[in-house]
Amino acid sequence: MSNLLELQGVTKNYGAVRALKGIDLTLRAGEVLALIGDNGAGKSTLIKVISGAIVPDGGRMLFEGREVHVRRPEDARALGIETVYQDLALFDNSDIAENLFAGREPVRHILGVPFLRRAEMHAESARILSTLKIHIRSTKALVKELSGGQRQTVAIGRAVAFSQRIVILDEPTAALGVPEQEKVLELVQQLRGGGYSVVLISHNLEHIFRVSDRMHVLRQGETAGVLSRSATTPEEVVQLITGAKRLVH
Amino acid sequence: MTTPGAGSDSAPTSLAQRWLGGRSDETRKELVLRWVMTNAAFVGLVALIVISTMLSPYFLTEQNLFNVLRQWTMVGLIAVGLTFVIISGGIDLSGGAILACGTVVGALAMSKLGAAGAIVSVVFMGAAFGYLNGAVITWGRVTPFVATLGTMTVARGAALMLSDGRTVITQTPEWFQFWFGRGFIGPVPAPVIIAGLFFVAAAIALRMTRYGRLVAMVGDNEVAAYRCGVNVPRVKRSVYVIHGVGAALAGLLFLGRLGVGEPASGALFELNGIAAVVIGGTPFTGGAGGVGLTFIGLMVIGLTYNILNLLSVSPYAQDIARGVIIVVAVMFSVRSIRARR
């Protein structure tokens, strides 16, 4: 498989705190890469770099072998990278269709004024939800009326519906009930089946071993090891997370 | 109340549910109750009209109602701008002062630039004050309350300085007096038409255009809006400009009606405007609401004043009544589950 996204020596400091100390990361086309590490290992910072939410202090980012500069979320979006943030970045007072289309609403210009195509938004939203096998009664329901699992599926749906290449999921199963977790894992597998590359942050090793192809373990802002699922065990991963073992590469 | 989201996967079953947009696990009684709570301001307005009609024979007459509308055009124009500002998660206290400065600038410009020049100057002045608010908030990172408090003081000071603290007397042409002051088209006062057009344009912008979504997104979840590629600071500046223009238009209506620039005019209009927005049901927390709701809120305030006047209730007691209404209205708006746009 070819490398779709490559990070080389990415660093990020917050004042005296060195959040990322030179990370090399590779994401191949059509794989699920799990990003693993203890709290504060740098997982969230790293995906924020990829998604353009923060600008790294140093390092390079290559997309399909070509160097790219991602300084804003729009830059990442333009590359086909969509992110589902941990703190469910939804608009509570807006309805499902408005959330799915947030920031890229379809419009019709009348006298130069961009009028929303609401009917199209709702029809298209219903189609997106049904492709993803998400069952929500009406796309006119407000997001704050939804359950935690439904909210998460809307957030993922938004990323998936518009991503061309890469979907980044930050703890998508946290704070969900077991049936809802299953639903989300199913979505991840569906994504890989659809040819997307997925970066999955999770604390749940069982989930990771079920859906990921490779695992990138971070510890204290550095890479502790990169593992292939078929060639490792949960015990080894735990040793890497805790620092009991280290694979220099 | 049942837990939101529970059982919402099943299809609606009854006609009441389809009409009132309820969930399948609600009884008809709960649905009606919820509709009443959600549309508290509208229900309150209808109740107010019914009770007032019974209390006074003068209340439900064409002349009285259009009088009320005309009296509240100025506060209404400020309230429209405030609706944008509050939906975006901000607040603006400078409306009354911008109005006052507008009357003075308009009166002074009238003799030198003519009425058309005066209109352009005043609107430009309003936009400039609004932009100042937005710039201080976005670039200066000052909270909206403090930033607009500052602009309020500056605009009031500018009005007093330009007018030397006195009423500015000026001559206004007939057509200006007609459209901004005393004219009628049929039974409808011309200023009501101007304010009405502003309301309608604002309602269309908020409900039907992409811009309305941007304002709501910024007020609902600023971080998410940024992540969705919204230029958050620009949207914020724009709502304060709209507010400034509305307040300036209100100043022109004052000038048209009274024919003078008055540095003391518009006092507390911003608070009545905020009250109209909040009574209508637009939540203070932003992210939802609409101009239609603000119109309902404005009418609740206006008709309350009106009926208390018709009944010759003392103005001091009126203030108490108004205060109580605002607080009760907010209690309902907090309880309402679905704030509509």
Side-chain angles (χ1 to χ4, degrees):
Chain A
M1 277 190 283
S2 60
N3 291 346
L4 181 58
L5 182 78
E6 216 177 317
L7 299 184
Q8 296 176 348
V10 168
T11 58
K12 177 73 191 177
N13 302 330
Y14 292 108
V17 180
R18 297 174 64 199
L20 299 177
K21 304 172 190 166
I23 301 286
D24 297 334
L25 178 142
T26 305
L27 177 66
R28 296 172 184 161
E31 76 168 348
V32 175
L33 176 71
L35 201 52
I36 313 173
D38 207 354
N39 293 329
K43 309 182 297 287
S44 289
T45 309
L46 190 59
I47 61 149
K48 280 181 183 157
V49 168
I50 300 174
S51 64
I54 60 172
V55 180
D57 296 328
R60 302 206 305 157
M61 182 162 157
L62 302 166
F63 190 81
E64 295 183 314
R66 195 165 45 83
E67 182 163 9
V68 288
H69 298 278
V70 174
R71 311 208 155 271
R72 291 175 306 166
E74 298 97 288
D75 299 339
R77 279 187 159 191
L79 292 172
I81 303 172
E82 291 286 332
T83 310
V84 180
Y85 291 97
Q86 190 173 3
D87 47 349
L88 296 172
L90 294 173
F91 301 97
D92 277 351
N93 293 297
S94 301
D95 67 30
I96 291 174
E98 287 166 342
N99 269 280
L100 286 173
F101 282 94
R104 49 197 150 202
E105 296 82 358
V107 293
R108 172 193 301 116
H109 287 267
I110 300 172
L111 302 171
V113 181
F115 281 88
L116 292 175
R117 293 171 175 267
R118 276 202 194 272
E120 189 183 304
M121 276 168 66
H122 284 286
E124 187 65 14
S125 298
R127 201 190 57 73
I128 290 167
L129 294 182
S130 78
T131 345
L132 294 170
K133 301 187 180 75
I134 299 168
H135 302 292
I136 294 173
R137 181 165 53 84
S138 165
T139 54
K140 288 179 180 166
L142 297 187
V143 160
K144 67 176 166 193
E145 296 172 341
L146 301 180
S147 70
Q150 288 174 323
R151 291 168 57 92
Q152 187 62 277
T153 52
V154 170
I156 295 175
R158 177 168 82 192
V160 173
F162 296 98
S163 162
Q164 283 103 52
R165 314 299 294 271
I166 300 173
V167 178
I168 300 171
L169 300 169
D170 188 1
E171 301 251 18
T173 54
L176 293 187
V178 173
E180 292 174 327
Q181 292 180 0
E182 290 301 316
K183 184 82 208 167
V184 170
L185 294 177
E186 248 173 65
L187 268 173
V188 173
Q189 271 155 343
Q190 242 177 286
L191 286 178
R192 181 174 46 192
Y196 294 100
S197 299
V198 178
V199 178
L200 172 70
I201 290 188
S202 179
H203 278 118
N204 189 319
L205 283 182
E206 188 217 323
H207 290 171
I208 288 167
F209 270 81
R210 272 175 55 192
V211 298
S212 73
D213 298 301
R214 293 190 308 129
M215 301 163 202
H216 190 117
V217 185
L218 293 178
R219 181 171 160 74
Q220 293 170 354
E222 290 173 299
T223 299
V226 181
L227 308 158
S228 170
R229 179 183 58 169
S230 49
T232 185
T233 60
E235 290 72 30
E236 187 184 20
V237 173
V238 170
Q239 285 171 344
L240 288 173
I241 293 171
T242 56
K245 184 175 173 182
R246 194 177 165 86
L247 297 174
V248 185
H249 66 288
Chain B
M1 276 319 143
T2 47
T3 322
S8 57
D9 283 356
S10 49
T13 47
S14 79
L15 203 64
Q17 278 158 3
R18 207 170 313 154
W19 279 44
L20 302 177
R23 299 183 300 264
S24 50
D25 51 1
E26 281 178 311
T27 65
R28 177 167 313 191
K29 196 174 152 195
E30 280 171 338
L31 270 171
V32 171
L33 190 69
R34 193 156 82 106
W35 188 86
V36 169
M37 295 295 271
T38 310
N39 299 275
F42 181 72
V43 173
L45 179 63
V46 172
L48 180 64
I49 291 172
V50 170
I51 294 168
S52 302
T53 307
M54 291 191 291
L55 288 175
S56 166
Y58 307 104
F59 178 78
L60 201 66
T61 57
E62 192 179 273
Q63 202 194 349
N64 183 55
L65 293 182
F66 278 123
N67 256 334
V68 172
L69 281 175
R70 188 173 56 190
Q71 281 164 3
W72 291 87
T73 47
M74 291 181 232
V75 171
L77 288 172
I78 293 172
V80 169
L82 276 164
T83 310
F84 283 80
V85 170
I86 290 175
I87 291 176
S88 82
I91 190 72
D92 198 327
L93 303 175
S94 61
I98 294 175
L99 182 156
C101 198
T103 67
V104 171
V105 168
L108 293 172
M110 195 68 71
S111 53
K112 296 188 178 64
L113 305 169
I119 293 172
V120 172
S121 315
V122 171
V123 168
F124 185 80
M125 175 220 73
F129 274 126
Y131 195 81
L132 176 67
N133 277 328
V136 172
I137 289 162
T138 56
W139 285 313
R141 294 177 193 277
V142 178
T143 60
F145 188 95
V146 175
T148 60
L149 187 68
T151 302
M152 172 179 112
T153 316
V154 168
R156 185 70 69 183
L160 287 164
M161 214 168 83
L162 289 170
S163 64
D164 263 339
R166 285 189 291 266
T167 303
V168 182
I169 295 160
T170 184
Q171 290 293 323
T172 54
E174 197 65 41
W175 66 268
F176 184 84
Q177 284 176 28
F178 182 90
W179 281 105
F180 290 87
R182 297 173 196 154
F184 281 87
I185 307 281
V188 188
V192 170
I193 294 176
I194 290 184
L197 289 175
F198 195 73
F199 262 91
V200 170
I204 289 173
L206 271 181
R207 279 180 79 106
M208 296 167 70
T209 72
R210 183 152 196 273
Y211 175 72
R213 286 299 313 143
L214 299 184
V215 173
M217 282 160 72
V218 167
D220 202 340
N221 189 339
E222 211 176 306
V223 176
Y226 171 73
R227 287 170 179 171
C228 287
V230 177
N231 188 336
V232 175
R234 202 170 107 196
V235 171
K236 283 190 180 176
R237 287 193 290 277
S238 73
V239 295
Y240 293 97
V241 170
I242 290 171
H243 173 269
V245 169
L249 274 179
L252 287 171
L253 293 187
F254 185 95
L255 184 59
R257 181 124 185 90
L258 298 170
V260 296
E262 172 54 63
S265 59
L268 300 184
F269 277 29
E270 62 281 346
L271 294 187
N272 272 326
I274 293 170
V277 175
V278 172
I279 289 175
T282 295
F284 237 136
T285 42
V291 173
L293 295 176
T294 297
F295 179 73
I296 293 173
L298 187 69
M299 285 301 100
V300 168
I301 302 179
L303 294 177
T304 307
Y305 264 96
N306 181 243
I307 187 62
L308 294 175
N309 277 331
L310 289 176
L311 298 175
S312 309
V313 174
S314 106
Y316 309 134
Q318 290 188 23
D319 279 345
I320 295 175
R322 212 155 25 94
V324 170
I325 287 173
I326 291 173
V327 175
V328 170
V330 173
M331 276 166 56
F332 274 97
S333 113
V334 168
R335 278 166 176 72
S336 81
I337 296 167
R338 266 192 90 117
R340 299 174 310 163
R341 277 168 298 276

